Amino acid sequence: MSRELEELYREGEERGVEIGKMKKAEEAALNLAERGMSVADIAEIVKVRVSLVQEWLAGKANLAR
């Protein structure tokens, strides 16, 4: 494999890992919200911005309608 292809593969693999981490963080955030935890506490626990947790929760609310 050429050096360029190896670099693209590595970057894609890293991106996939990051996406997976964010999906797990979102899943955890939704579970914590269902248990009544505050948005600020959830953001601190899953190590993301408060606004991102709010987006996740709003997305879930939109899906429920």
Side-chain angles (χ1 to χ4, degrees):
M1 193 180 314
S2 73
R3 186 172 289 183
E4 292 83 15
L5 285 177
E6 288 176 9
E7 180 65 21
L8 285 172
Y9 179 82
R10 186 186 60 73
E11 288 174 7
E13 189 174 46
E14 289 173 1
R15 179 72 177 134
V17 168
E18 286 303 313
I19 290 170
K21 287 179 182 179
M22 289 304 288
K23 287 183 185 254
K24 291 303 283 183
E26 180 178 6
E27 181 181 313
L30 296 175
N31 286 331
L32 293 170
E34 286 178 2
R35 288 174 170 71
M37 189 170 287
S38 74
V39 171
D41 287 343
I42 294 169
E44 184 177 343
I45 289 168
V46 299
K47 297 178 176 41
V48 298
R49 299 179 324 274
V50 168
S51 61
L52 184 55
V53 174
Q54 291 169 330
E55 287 177 30
W56 289 339
L57 295 177
K60 182 182 180 209
N62 290 337
L63 290 176
R65 291 182 185 170

